[in-house]
Amino acid sequence: MASTKNTVPTWKQYNRPWYQKFGLAILEYIKNVGIMIWCCIKAIPFKIRDFVFAIGRCFQGLWFRFKNGDWRTRMSYLIMGFGNFSRGPKQFLTGFLQLAVEVLFILFMVFIGAHNLSMLPSLGITPILPGPGGIGMVEHDNSLKILIFSVLTFIFMIFFLYMWIKNTKIAYNTQKHVEAGKAISGPKQQINFALNDGYHVTILTLPIVGILIVTVLPLICNILVAFTNFDAFNDEVHLFKWVGFDSFASVFGKTYGTEIWGVLGWTLIWAFFATFTNFFFGMFLAMIINKKSIKLKAFWRTCFVIVIAVPDFVSLLMMSQFFAWKSDPAQTGAFNLIIQQWFGINQNVDWFGSATYKPTMARIMVIVINMWRGMPFTMLSTYGILMNIPEELYESSRIDGAGPVRRFISITFPYIMFVMGPQLITTFTGNINNFNVIFFLTGGGPFMGKSANSPGSTDLLVTWLYRLTVNNSSAEYNHGAVIGIFTFIISSFFALIVFNSSKSVKQEDSFQ
């Protein structure tokens, strides 16, 4: 008799206490995430193989079309669009657009691209210097400009290569239509195709171009800056050089090696508490308001939603002033004044630890204030979910003798988690990069660092990166780029791997 593999997780196989089940469930989840990461690593060689094979098939197709094409098709390998506009007026528009792409690319390469690519290995050699007699400035190189335009040139080269290959396919297909005696589509038919069958391409072209320019280009430049010595001094002369992995060694070694891991630890702690305090308190708040015995539900929801109506930076700046600690009584925050008047305490409380250096107090305060600011969002989401849970489930559980706690564990919480699981993971990732709360409340402080660019006690990776790059007198753009890459890797892990391992993604078709 063939044996069947037991697919029940270890933490569900035995009648264990709830805390043991919880711990084993976490270990099971960590193991599954590790397996997923290992599977991704193992798949890399196969992806590389598929990529190489795809390139081979592309060259094979180019040779096939050149060998079997007529002279018009072969001329399109040199003059884009020739295989179309040379076959009559109906294909003139298609051929002209392809030729325009080639002409614009050649002009770009002649006047911008070729020069910047030639300067990319050195990133420029002529610094900014005063002109003759100290008047004006002589012509100089700009390393950042060279880097940006070089990356832009590579993007244009990839786009042109794609359009060139596409041009040969269009020319060969047009040739086959002519040889088969089929009618060639004209401008009207081509526009009709673009607005119907090819509508997805038409509508997505502009957003994809925007993503390439606004997202991909800065991201690639940020990665490349991490391999240079770009800082405030080099910014003054507009020149910097390639230094390999020296910036990484500096951030994770001699310069900030003892500090970055502390910032990473606090960033993850902050993201955990900022996410789950908002989630659980917002969920319980929605459950309380949703109870049948509660009157004036709309009034209570409105009271909490008012927080959302005020812009983040306004409410956060208000709270920073409300809890301000000043030696001058005239500048003391309102909360300290209330404590003095109501409880007779003469000494101000340094809530954010700015003067007395109390990092624990500051960290607790930013978590609590973030909870006050973020609970209404979770409350509204959860309230909508609670209203859609079938009442029959609760009636059946009452008949079976389930109490309020059991109904919450077996019905309410799984239902909420299935719907809000992706949002919870996204919120955690967003809190890793939550700039506003830290910047407007504490500015990253309290500070007790070795230098002006050392991280503060409440600095997240993203706020530390900001201070490293906006301080004009001692900016460290290369180190900021390294921290940006590090933050991107951590955020990507939670946004992709953890998200794809959640039940909401794996079992989305089974949700009722």
Side-chain angles (χ1 to χ4, degrees), residues 266 269-285 303-308 312 315-316 319 323 352 362-380 427 431 434 436-438 441:
W266 159 240
I269 291 172
W270 150 261
F272 177 84
F273 282 100
T275 301
F276 290 100
T277 52
N278 287 347
F279 175 72
F280 284 107
F281 281 94
M283 178 179 62
F284 288 126
L285 187 62
C303 289
F304 290 100
V305 171
I306 288 176
V307 178
I308 304 176
D312 268 1
S315 59
L316 293 171
M319 294 302 289
F323 288 95
F352 295 117
R363 290 171 176 176
I364 292 174
M365 286 300 298
V366 294
I367 290 174
V368 171
I369 294 174
N370 179 74
M371 183 175 66
W372 161 78
R373 184 193 63 88
M375 275 196 311
F377 292 95
T378 307
M379 182 201 71
L380 289 178
T427 304
N431 280 321
N434 195 330
N436 289 349
V437 176
I438 302 299
L441 287 179

Short mmCIF file of all heavy atoms in Angstrom, two decimals, residues 266 269-285 303-308 312 315-316 319 323 352 362-380 427 431 434 436-438 441:
data_model
loop_
_atom_site.label_atom_id
_atom_site.label_comp_id
_atom_site.label_asym_id
_atom_site.label_seq_id
_atom_site.Cartn_x
_atom_site.Cartn_y
_atom_site.Cartn_z
N TRP A 266 16.50 49.05 14.92
CA TRP A 266 15.41 49.95 15.32
C TRP A 266 14.41 50.11 14.18
O TRP A 266 13.20 50.20 14.43
CB TRP A 266 15.98 51.31 15.73
CG TRP A 266 14.99 52.43 15.69
CD1 TRP A 266 15.05 53.55 14.94
CD2 TRP A 266 13.76 52.52 16.43
NE1 TRP A 266 13.96 54.34 15.15
CE2 TRP A 266 13.13 53.73 16.07
CE3 TRP A 266 13.13 51.70 17.35
CZ2 TRP A 266 11.92 54.14 16.59
CZ3 TRP A 266 11.90 52.10 17.86
CH2 TRP A 266 11.32 53.30 17.51
N ILE A 269 12.19 47.09 14.35
CA ILE A 269 11.35 47.16 15.56
C ILE A 269 10.25 48.19 15.35
O ILE A 269 9.08 47.96 15.67
CB ILE A 269 12.22 47.51 16.79
CG1 ILE A 269 13.14 46.34 17.13
CG2 ILE A 269 11.34 47.86 17.98
CD1 ILE A 269 14.15 46.66 18.21
N TRP A 270 10.63 49.35 14.83
CA TRP A 270 9.66 50.40 14.56
C TRP A 270 8.59 49.92 13.58
O TRP A 270 7.39 50.12 13.79
CB TRP A 270 10.37 51.64 14.01
CG TRP A 270 9.52 52.45 13.08
CD1 TRP A 270 9.55 52.43 11.72
CD2 TRP A 270 8.50 53.38 13.44
NE1 TRP A 270 8.63 53.30 11.20
CE2 TRP A 270 7.96 53.90 12.24
CE3 TRP A 270 7.99 53.83 14.65
CZ2 TRP A 270 6.94 54.84 12.22
CZ3 TRP A 270 6.97 54.78 14.63
CH2 TRP A 270 6.46 55.27 13.43
N ALA A 271 9.02 49.28 12.47
CA ALA A 271 8.07 48.81 11.47
C ALA A 271 7.11 47.78 12.06
O ALA A 271 5.91 47.80 11.75
CB ALA A 271 8.81 48.21 10.27
N PHE A 272 7.62 46.91 12.94
CA PHE A 272 6.78 45.89 13.56
C PHE A 272 5.71 46.53 14.45
O PHE A 272 4.51 46.26 14.29
CB PHE A 272 7.64 44.93 14.37
CG PHE A 272 6.86 43.88 15.12
CD1 PHE A 272 6.47 42.71 14.49
CD2 PHE A 272 6.52 44.07 16.46
CE1 PHE A 272 5.74 41.75 15.17
CE2 PHE A 272 5.79 43.11 17.15
CZ PHE A 272 5.40 41.95 16.50
N PHE A 273 6.14 47.38 15.37
CA PHE A 273 5.18 47.98 16.30
C PHE A 273 4.28 48.99 15.60
O PHE A 273 3.08 49.07 15.91
CB PHE A 273 5.92 48.65 17.47
CG PHE A 273 6.40 47.69 18.51
CD1 PHE A 273 7.72 47.28 18.54
CD2 PHE A 273 5.52 47.17 19.44
CE1 PHE A 273 8.17 46.38 19.49
CE2 PHE A 273 5.95 46.26 20.40
CZ PHE A 273 7.28 45.86 20.43
N ALA A 274 4.83 49.77 14.67
CA ALA A 274 4.01 50.74 13.96
C ALA A 274 2.93 50.05 13.14
O ALA A 274 1.83 50.60 12.97
CB ALA A 274 4.89 51.61 13.06
N THR A 275 3.22 48.86 12.64
CA THR A 275 2.24 48.12 11.84
C THR A 275 1.21 47.43 12.71
O THR A 275 0.00 47.59 12.52
CB THR A 275 2.95 47.08 10.96
OG1 THR A 275 3.88 47.74 10.10
CG2 THR A 275 1.95 46.31 10.12
N PHE A 276 1.67 46.66 13.69
CA PHE A 276 0.75 45.80 14.43
C PHE A 276 0.00 46.53 15.53
O PHE A 276 -1.10 46.10 15.91
CB PHE A 276 1.51 44.59 14.99
CG PHE A 276 1.92 43.63 13.92
CD1 PHE A 276 3.22 43.62 13.42
CD2 PHE A 276 1.00 42.75 13.37
CE1 PHE A 276 3.59 42.74 12.42
CE2 PHE A 276 1.36 41.87 12.36
CZ PHE A 276 2.66 41.86 11.89
N THR A 277 0.54 47.62 16.08
CA THR A 277 -0.27 48.41 17.02
C THR A 277 -1.43 49.05 16.29
O THR A 277 -2.57 49.03 16.77
CB THR A 277 0.59 49.49 17.70
OG1 THR A 277 1.29 50.25 16.70
CG2 THR A 277 1.59 48.89 18.65
N ASN A 278 -1.17 49.60 15.12
CA ASN A 278 -2.26 50.18 14.32
C ASN A 278 -3.27 49.11 13.92
O ASN A 278 -4.49 49.35 13.97
CB ASN A 278 -1.71 50.85 13.06
CG ASN A 278 -0.99 52.14 13.36
OD1 ASN A 278 -1.10 52.68 14.46
ND2 ASN A 278 -0.26 52.66 12.40
N PHE A 279 -2.76 47.94 13.55
CA PHE A 279 -3.65 46.89 13.07
C PHE A 279 -4.56 46.37 14.18
O PHE A 279 -5.80 46.35 14.04
CB PHE A 279 -2.83 45.74 12.47
CG PHE A 279 -3.65 44.55 12.07
CD1 PHE A 279 -4.47 44.60 10.95
CD2 PHE A 279 -3.61 43.38 12.80
CE1 PHE A 279 -5.23 43.51 10.57
CE2 PHE A 279 -4.37 42.28 12.43
CZ PHE A 279 -5.18 42.34 11.32
N PHE A 280 -3.97 45.95 15.29
CA PHE A 280 -4.78 45.33 16.35
C PHE A 280 -5.66 46.35 17.07
O PHE A 280 -6.84 46.07 17.32
CB PHE A 280 -3.87 44.60 17.34
CG PHE A 280 -3.34 43.30 16.83
CD1 PHE A 280 -2.02 43.16 16.44
CD2 PHE A 280 -4.17 42.19 16.69
CE1 PHE A 280 -1.53 41.97 15.95
CE2 PHE A 280 -3.70 40.99 16.20
CZ PHE A 280 -2.37 40.88 15.83
N PHE A 281 -5.12 47.52 17.41
CA PHE A 281 -5.96 48.51 18.08
C PHE A 281 -7.04 49.02 17.14
O PHE A 281 -8.17 49.25 17.58
CB PHE A 281 -5.10 49.66 18.60
CG PHE A 281 -4.38 49.35 19.87
CD1 PHE A 281 -3.08 48.88 19.86
CD2 PHE A 281 -5.00 49.51 21.10
CE1 PHE A 281 -2.41 48.57 21.02
CE2 PHE A 281 -4.34 49.21 22.28
CZ PHE A 281 -3.05 48.74 22.26
N GLY A 282 -6.72 49.21 15.85
CA GLY A 282 -7.75 49.63 14.90
C GLY A 282 -8.81 48.56 14.72
O GLY A 282 -10.00 48.86 14.60
N MET A 283 -8.39 47.27 14.71
CA MET A 283 -9.33 46.17 14.57
C MET A 283 -10.27 46.09 15.77
O MET A 283 -11.49 45.98 15.61
CB MET A 283 -8.57 44.86 14.40
CG MET A 283 -9.45 43.63 14.29
SD MET A 283 -8.49 42.10 14.07
CE MET A 283 -7.55 42.07 15.60
N PHE A 284 -9.71 46.17 16.99
CA PHE A 284 -10.56 46.10 18.19
C PHE A 284 -11.47 47.32 18.29
O PHE A 284 -12.61 47.21 18.75
CB PHE A 284 -9.69 45.97 19.43
CG PHE A 284 -9.04 44.62 19.57
CD1 PHE A 284 -7.67 44.50 19.74
CD2 PHE A 284 -9.80 43.46 19.50
CE1 PHE A 284 -7.07 43.27 19.85
CE2 PHE A 284 -9.21 42.21 19.61
CZ PHE A 284 -7.84 42.11 19.79
N LEU A 285 -10.98 48.48 17.85
CA LEU A 285 -11.82 49.67 17.85
C LEU A 285 -13.00 49.49 16.90
O LEU A 285 -14.15 49.84 17.25
CB LEU A 285 -10.98 50.88 17.43
CG LEU A 285 -11.64 52.24 17.53
CD1 LEU A 285 -12.01 52.56 18.96
CD2 LEU A 285 -10.70 53.32 16.99
N CYS A 303 -15.47 60.71 14.83
CA CYS A 303 -14.50 61.24 15.80
C CYS A 303 -13.09 60.74 15.48
O CYS A 303 -12.11 61.50 15.61
CB CYS A 303 -14.89 60.84 17.22
SG CYS A 303 -16.36 61.69 17.83
N PHE A 304 -12.98 59.50 15.10
CA PHE A 304 -11.66 58.94 14.81
C PHE A 304 -11.18 59.28 13.39
O PHE A 304 -9.99 59.43 13.15
CB PHE A 304 -11.67 57.42 15.00
CG PHE A 304 -11.79 57.00 16.44
CD1 PHE A 304 -13.01 56.59 16.96
CD2 PHE A 304 -10.69 57.03 17.27
CE1 PHE A 304 -13.12 56.22 18.29
CE2 PHE A 304 -10.79 56.65 18.60
CZ PHE A 304 -12.01 56.24 19.11
N VAL A 305 -12.14 59.43 12.48
CA VAL A 305 -11.76 59.70 11.09
C VAL A 305 -11.26 61.14 10.92
O VAL A 305 -10.55 61.45 9.97
CB VAL A 305 -12.95 59.42 10.16
CG1 VAL A 305 -12.69 59.90 8.73
CG2 VAL A 305 -13.26 57.93 10.13
N ILE A 306 -11.60 62.02 11.85
CA ILE A 306 -11.13 63.41 11.77
C ILE A 306 -9.61 63.46 11.68
O ILE A 306 -9.04 64.34 11.02
CB ILE A 306 -11.64 64.22 12.98
CG1 ILE A 306 -13.15 64.45 12.83
CG2 ILE A 306 -10.92 65.55 13.10
CD1 ILE A 306 -13.79 65.14 14.00
N VAL A 307 -8.95 62.51 12.35
CA VAL A 307 -7.48 62.47 12.31
C VAL A 307 -6.98 62.33 10.88
O VAL A 307 -5.98 62.93 10.50
CB VAL A 307 -6.96 61.30 13.18
CG1 VAL A 307 -5.45 61.21 13.11
CG2 VAL A 307 -7.42 61.48 14.62
N ILE A 308 -7.70 61.55 10.05
CA ILE A 308 -7.29 61.34 8.67
C ILE A 308 -7.46 62.61 7.85
O ILE A 308 -6.70 62.86 6.91
CB ILE A 308 -8.09 60.18 8.05
CG1 ILE A 308 -7.92 58.91 8.88
CG2 ILE A 308 -7.68 59.92 6.61
CD1 ILE A 308 -8.75 57.75 8.39
N ASP A 312 -0.81 64.80 7.25
CA ASP A 312 0.13 64.16 8.17
C ASP A 312 1.10 65.16 8.79
O ASP A 312 1.29 65.19 10.00
CB ASP A 312 0.92 63.07 7.45
CG ASP A 312 0.23 61.73 7.58
OD1 ASP A 312 -0.83 61.67 8.20
OD2 ASP A 312 0.76 60.74 7.04
N SER A 315 -0.53 67.44 11.52
CA SER A 315 -0.82 66.79 12.80
C SER A 315 0.46 66.38 13.53
O SER A 315 0.55 66.49 14.75
CB SER A 315 -1.71 65.56 12.57
OG SER A 315 -1.09 64.64 11.70
N LEU A 316 1.49 65.95 12.78
CA LEU A 316 2.74 65.54 13.43
C LEU A 316 3.50 66.73 13.98
O LEU A 316 4.05 66.67 15.09
CB LEU A 316 3.61 64.77 12.43
CG LEU A 316 3.06 63.41 11.99
CD1 LEU A 316 3.89 62.84 10.84
CD2 LEU A 316 3.04 62.44 13.16
N MET A 319 1.77 67.72 17.17
CA MET A 319 2.09 66.85 18.29
C MET A 319 3.52 67.09 18.80
O MET A 319 3.77 67.02 20.01
CB MET A 319 1.94 65.39 17.87
CG MET A 319 0.52 64.98 17.54
SD MET A 319 -0.64 65.25 18.90
CE MET A 319 -0.12 63.97 20.04
N PHE A 323 4.10 68.21 22.79
CA PHE A 323 4.94 67.52 23.77
C PHE A 323 6.33 68.14 23.89
O PHE A 323 7.25 67.50 24.39
CB PHE A 323 5.09 66.04 23.38
CG PHE A 323 3.84 65.22 23.59
CD1 PHE A 323 2.96 65.01 22.55
CD2 PHE A 323 3.55 64.69 24.83
CE1 PHE A 323 1.81 64.26 22.73
CE2 PHE A 323 2.40 63.94 25.03
CZ PHE A 323 1.53 63.72 23.98
N PHE A 352 10.62 63.63 24.20
CA PHE A 352 11.39 63.13 23.07
C PHE A 352 12.87 62.99 23.36
O PHE A 352 13.66 62.73 22.46
CB PHE A 352 11.18 64.03 21.86
CG PHE A 352 9.77 64.04 21.34
CD1 PHE A 352 9.01 65.19 21.37
CD2 PHE A 352 9.19 62.88 20.85
CE1 PHE A 352 7.71 65.21 20.90
CE2 PHE A 352 7.89 62.88 20.38
CZ PHE A 352 7.15 64.04 20.42
N ALA A 362 11.87 58.48 23.65
CA ALA A 362 11.58 59.03 22.32
C ALA A 362 10.99 57.96 21.41
O ALA A 362 10.05 58.23 20.65
CB ALA A 362 12.86 59.60 21.72
N ARG A 363 11.52 56.74 21.47
CA ARG A 363 11.02 55.67 20.60
C ARG A 363 9.59 55.27 20.98
O ARG A 363 8.76 55.01 20.10
CB ARG A 363 11.95 54.47 20.69
CG ARG A 363 13.31 54.73 20.02
CD ARG A 363 14.31 53.63 20.30
NE ARG A 363 15.56 53.86 19.56
CZ ARG A 363 16.63 53.11 19.66
NH1 ARG A 363 16.62 52.05 20.47
NH2 ARG A 363 17.71 53.40 18.96
N ILE A 364 9.31 55.22 22.27
CA ILE A 364 7.94 54.90 22.70
C ILE A 364 6.98 55.98 22.23
O ILE A 364 5.87 55.69 21.77
CB ILE A 364 7.90 54.74 24.24
CG1 ILE A 364 8.67 53.49 24.67
CG2 ILE A 364 6.46 54.66 24.73
CD1 ILE A 364 8.81 53.33 26.16
N MET A 365 7.40 57.23 22.33
CA MET A 365 6.53 58.34 21.93
C MET A 365 6.19 58.29 20.44
O MET A 365 5.03 58.50 20.06
CB MET A 365 7.19 59.67 22.28
CG MET A 365 7.17 59.99 23.77
SD MET A 365 5.51 60.11 24.45
CE MET A 365 4.85 61.48 23.51
N VAL A 366 7.18 58.03 19.60
CA VAL A 366 6.88 58.02 18.16
C VAL A 366 5.97 56.84 17.81
O VAL A 366 5.11 56.96 16.92
CB VAL A 366 8.17 57.98 17.32
CG1 VAL A 366 8.97 59.26 17.50
CG2 VAL A 366 9.02 56.76 17.62
N ILE A 367 6.09 55.72 18.51
CA ILE A 367 5.21 54.58 18.26
C ILE A 367 3.78 54.91 18.69
O ILE A 367 2.81 54.62 17.99
CB ILE A 367 5.73 53.33 18.99
CG1 ILE A 367 7.02 52.84 18.32
CG2 ILE A 367 4.68 52.22 18.98
CD1 ILE A 367 7.70 51.70 19.05
N VAL A 368 3.64 55.54 19.88
CA VAL A 368 2.31 55.88 20.40
C VAL A 368 1.63 56.91 19.50
O VAL A 368 0.44 56.78 19.17
CB VAL A 368 2.43 56.39 21.85
CG1 VAL A 368 1.08 56.96 22.32
CG2 VAL A 368 2.88 55.27 22.78
N ILE A 369 2.37 57.96 19.12
CA ILE A 369 1.77 59.00 18.27
C ILE A 369 1.42 58.43 16.89
O ILE A 369 0.38 58.77 16.31
CB ILE A 369 2.72 60.20 18.15
CG1 ILE A 369 2.87 60.88 19.52
CG2 ILE A 369 2.22 61.20 17.11
CD1 ILE A 369 3.89 61.99 19.55
N ASN A 370 2.25 57.55 16.37
CA ASN A 370 1.93 56.91 15.09
C ASN A 370 0.68 56.05 15.22
O ASN A 370 -0.11 55.97 14.27
CB ASN A 370 3.11 56.06 14.63
CG ASN A 370 2.84 55.35 13.33
OD1 ASN A 370 2.82 55.94 12.26
ND2 ASN A 370 2.59 54.04 13.41
N MET A 371 0.49 55.41 16.37
CA MET A 371 -0.71 54.61 16.58
C MET A 371 -1.95 55.50 16.58
O MET A 371 -2.97 55.16 15.98
CB MET A 371 -0.59 53.85 17.90
CG MET A 371 -1.76 52.92 18.19
SD MET A 371 -1.50 51.96 19.69
CE MET A 371 -1.51 53.26 20.93
N TRP A 372 -1.86 56.65 17.23
CA TRP A 372 -2.98 57.60 17.24
C TRP A 372 -3.30 58.06 15.82
O TRP A 372 -4.47 58.22 15.45
CB TRP A 372 -2.61 58.79 18.13
CG TRP A 372 -3.43 60.02 17.88
CD1 TRP A 372 -4.70 60.27 18.30
CD2 TRP A 372 -3.04 61.17 17.11
NE1 TRP A 372 -5.13 61.49 17.85
CE2 TRP A 372 -4.13 62.07 17.13
CE3 TRP A 372 -1.88 61.53 16.43
CZ2 TRP A 372 -4.08 63.30 16.48
CZ3 TRP A 372 -1.83 62.76 15.79
CH2 TRP A 372 -2.92 63.62 15.82
N ARG A 373 -2.26 58.25 15.02
CA ARG A 373 -2.45 58.74 13.66
C ARG A 373 -2.93 57.66 12.71
O ARG A 373 -3.67 57.94 11.76
CB ARG A 373 -1.13 59.32 13.16
CG ARG A 373 -1.18 59.97 11.79
CD ARG A 373 0.20 60.21 11.26
NE ARG A 373 0.92 58.96 11.06
CZ ARG A 373 0.87 58.25 9.96
NH1 ARG A 373 0.12 58.64 8.95
NH2 ARG A 373 1.55 57.12 9.84
N GLY A 374 -2.53 56.39 12.92
CA GLY A 374 -2.79 55.34 11.95
C GLY A 374 -3.97 54.44 12.25
O GLY A 374 -4.45 53.75 11.35
N MET A 375 -4.43 54.42 13.52
CA MET A 375 -5.55 53.54 13.87
C MET A 375 -6.80 53.77 13.02
O MET A 375 -7.47 52.80 12.63
CB MET A 375 -5.91 53.69 15.35
CG MET A 375 -5.10 52.85 16.29
SD MET A 375 -5.88 52.73 17.92
CE MET A 375 -6.26 54.43 18.29
N PRO A 376 -7.20 55.03 12.73
CA PRO A 376 -8.43 55.22 11.95
C PRO A 376 -8.42 54.53 10.59
O PRO A 376 -9.47 54.07 10.12
CB PRO A 376 -8.51 56.75 11.81
CG PRO A 376 -7.76 57.27 12.98
CD PRO A 376 -6.66 56.30 13.20
N PHE A 377 -7.27 54.46 9.92
CA PHE A 377 -7.21 53.79 8.63
C PHE A 377 -7.58 52.31 8.77
O PHE A 377 -8.37 51.77 7.99
CB PHE A 377 -5.80 53.92 8.04
CG PHE A 377 -5.42 55.31 7.63
CD1 PHE A 377 -4.72 56.13 8.49
CD2 PHE A 377 -5.78 55.79 6.39
CE1 PHE A 377 -4.37 57.42 8.12
CE2 PHE A 377 -5.45 57.07 6.00
CZ PHE A 377 -4.74 57.89 6.87
N THR A 378 -6.96 51.64 9.76
CA THR A 378 -7.28 50.23 9.98
C THR A 378 -8.71 50.05 10.44
O THR A 378 -9.38 49.08 10.05
CB THR A 378 -6.32 49.64 11.04
OG1 THR A 378 -4.98 49.89 10.65
CG2 THR A 378 -6.53 48.14 11.18
N MET A 379 -9.20 50.97 11.26
CA MET A 379 -10.56 50.88 11.75
C MET A 379 -11.57 50.89 10.60
O MET A 379 -12.51 50.08 10.56
CB MET A 379 -10.85 52.04 12.70
CG MET A 379 -12.24 52.02 13.32
SD MET A 379 -12.75 53.63 13.93
CE MET A 379 -13.01 54.51 12.41
N LEU A 380 -11.37 51.81 9.64
CA LEU A 380 -12.30 51.89 8.51
C LEU A 380 -12.25 50.62 7.66
O LEU A 380 -13.29 50.10 7.25
CB LEU A 380 -11.95 53.11 7.65
CG LEU A 380 -12.27 54.47 8.25
CD1 LEU A 380 -11.82 55.58 7.32
CD2 LEU A 380 -13.75 54.60 8.54
N THR A 427 1.81 47.54 4.51
CA THR A 427 1.98 48.55 5.55
C THR A 427 3.30 48.38 6.27
O THR A 427 3.98 49.37 6.59
CB THR A 427 0.81 48.46 6.56
OG1 THR A 427 -0.43 48.59 5.86
CG2 THR A 427 0.91 49.56 7.60
N ASN A 431 6.18 51.14 6.43
CA ASN A 431 6.71 51.67 7.69
C ASN A 431 8.23 51.61 7.75
O ASN A 431 8.86 52.39 8.47
CB ASN A 431 6.10 50.94 8.88
CG ASN A 431 4.71 51.45 9.21
OD1 ASN A 431 4.45 52.64 9.14
ND2 ASN A 431 3.81 50.54 9.55
N ASN A 434 8.93 54.84 6.42
CA ASN A 434 8.03 55.87 6.93
C ASN A 434 8.84 57.09 7.37
O ASN A 434 9.33 57.18 8.49
CB ASN A 434 7.21 55.32 8.10
CG ASN A 434 6.03 56.21 8.43
OD1 ASN A 434 6.07 57.42 8.23
ND2 ASN A 434 4.97 55.60 8.92
N ASN A 436 7.85 60.49 7.32
CA ASN A 436 7.17 61.63 7.92
C ASN A 436 7.16 61.61 9.44
O ASN A 436 7.45 62.61 10.10
CB ASN A 436 5.73 61.72 7.40
CG ASN A 436 5.67 62.13 5.95
OD1 ASN A 436 6.68 62.55 5.38
ND2 ASN A 436 4.51 62.01 5.33
N VAL A 437 6.77 60.46 10.01
CA VAL A 437 6.58 60.40 11.47
C VAL A 437 7.87 60.73 12.20
O VAL A 437 7.90 61.56 13.11
CB VAL A 437 6.05 59.00 11.88
CG1 VAL A 437 5.95 58.91 13.40
CG2 VAL A 437 4.70 58.74 11.25
N ILE A 438 8.96 60.10 11.81
CA ILE A 438 10.24 60.32 12.49
C ILE A 438 10.75 61.74 12.23
O ILE A 438 11.20 62.44 13.15
CB ILE A 438 11.27 59.28 12.03
CG1 ILE A 438 10.77 57.86 12.30
CG2 ILE A 438 12.61 59.51 12.71
CD1 ILE A 438 10.52 57.55 13.74
N LEU A 441 8.50 64.50 14.03
CA LEU A 441 8.41 64.42 15.48
C LEU A 441 9.76 64.63 16.16
O LEU A 441 9.88 65.45 17.08
CB LEU A 441 7.83 63.06 15.90
CG LEU A 441 6.33 62.86 15.67
CD1 LEU A 441 5.92 61.46 16.11
CD2 LEU A 441 5.51 63.91 16.42
#
